[in-house]
Amino acid sequence: MPTALITGATAGIGAAFARRIAKDGLDLVLVARNVEKLNEKAETLRRDYGVSVEVLPADLAEDDGIAAVEERLRQGVDLLVNNAGFGNQGTFLEVPVEAELRMLKVHCEAVLRLTYAALPGMRERHRGGIINVASVAAFLTRGTYGASKAWVVSFSQSIAHEVKDPNVKVMALCPGFVHTEFHERAKMDTSGIPEVLWLDADDVAEAALKDLKKGVRVSVPSPQYKAVVGLSKFVPRNLVGKVSSRTGRRYD
């Protein structure tokens, strides 16, 4: 039975991917830190969709956590969704360097290592897909978070080019503001964000899977964010930095 492994699978975009993929009948491996939430999510998916769901508790900010997921991926999966991620509260010098390094561990090192673990089996079987969840922030100037997501985009594009197998696809997913727990966990005040800029997590997952199937290498769901990314290429970088540093960066 085809199997998908999803990191950060208990909430937000990760949970939306789990629901959408289960609807297609794929078995699931759910990865997150919270065992209780993992078991609750797994039971709901089994009941609602009749699929097999394996839970894998792991903290991707720790070597042991990454290694556990690497081991599972080497056993073979058909789809990997590298979704785990978080934001830090404050601007660069306000955030402890340990917290920034933890972010890079999850956003960059874990994505690299898990892709490295999954890809050989996919190439051998001549089928498979990897979705690395980045952000529209990758195209703006937004501190360590934006820089880490820019790395995800560049890395994904490079790997997609190097695979050279039309049945093995690698894609970076770049949503904008999505109704999830992400901003609340980071203690962001998002009250000033216009409603038109908010996306639904289920819509993001749906669009991403469609784009992956079509072979898109960088998926930007929704017309409004396609416009944002397009315009960002023509706006002077110093102006982009000033605007993006003020947007969504207010904290409680």
Side-chain angles (χ1 to χ4, degrees):
M1 178 66 69
T3 302
L5 186 147
I6 306 166
T7 69
T10 57
I13 295 175
F17 268 114
R19 290 190 294 270
R20 182 61 186 82
I21 293 167
K23 184 179 178 181
D24 284 342
L26 276 71
D27 290 340
L28 297 171
V29 182
L30 306 183
V31 178
R33 292 178 298 170
N34 190 305
V35 178
E36 183 178 351
K37 288 184 178 180
L38 276 173
N39 287 328
E40 290 176 357
K41 184 64 62 177
E43 184 57 35
T44 299
L45 291 166
R46 293 184 191 113
R47 183 190 66 233
D48 291 350
Y49 300 99
V51 296
S52 174
V53 184
E54 176 185 342
V55 299
L56 178 51
D59 184 349
L60 297 183
E62 303 290 340
D63 282 330
D64 288 348
I66 298 175
V69 183
E70 286 176 312
E71 181 179 354
R72 178 61 184 84
L73 287 169
R74 292 190 185 106
Q75 297 172 27
V77 300
D78 299 277
L79 175 64
L80 166 63
V81 181
N82 278 313
N83 167 73
F86 62 93
N88 284 324
Q89 180 182 0
T91 55
F92 180 64
L93 292 180
E94 298 171 343
V95 178
V97 68
E98 294 81 8
E100 297 283 64
L101 289 171
R102 186 177 179 87
M103 176 185 289
L104 292 176
K105 187 89 169 181
V106 175
H107 291 184
C108 300
E109 182 178 339
V111 168
L112 184 151
R113 289 173 58 180
L114 300 189
T115 299
Y116 201 96
L119 201 52
M122 293 179 179
R123 293 182 67 180
E124 183 177 336
R125 295 186 299 275
H126 299 288
R127 70 174 190 276
I130 298 174
I131 298 175
N132 294 324
V133 179
S135 169
V136 165
F139 305 98
L140 306 174
T141 304
R142 185 71 64 77
T144 304
Y145 180 84
S148 69
K149 294 304 188 180
W151 180 90
V152 171
V153 172
S154 180
F155 171 74
S156 301
Q157 288 178 300
S158 175
I159 300 305
H161 176 72
E162 292 177 6
V163 168
K164 300 187 186 303
D165 185 331
N167 296 315
V168 179
K169 300 178 173 65
V170 181
M171 184 183 81
L173 171 62
C174 301
F177 293 106
V178 183
H179 286 298
T180 68
E181 299 173 359
F182 176 91
H183 299 94
E184 182 179 347
R185 290 200 307 267
K187 298 183 179 179
M188 292 185 182
D189 175 12
T190 58
S191 58
I193 306 300
E195 184 59 32
V196 69
L197 293 180
W198 286 100
L199 306 178
D200 177 78
D202 291 307
D203 292 340
V204 169
E206 179 78 26
L209 291 169
K210 287 181 178 178
D211 279 350
L212 182 70
K213 187 175 182 180
K214 291 187 290 187
V216 173
R217 294 183 177 181
V218 179
S219 172
V220 181
S222 80
Q224 60 267 48
Y225 282 109
K226 284 183 172 67
V228 168
V229 171
L231 288 172
S232 72
K233 298 175 182 178
F234 301 100
V235 177
R237 298 301 295 175
N238 61 338
L239 179 58
V240 172
K242 289 179 182 179
V243 173
S244 64
S245 65
R246 296 171 185 169
T247 306
R249 295 288 295 189
R250 301 195 309 277
Y251 298 91
D252 295 332

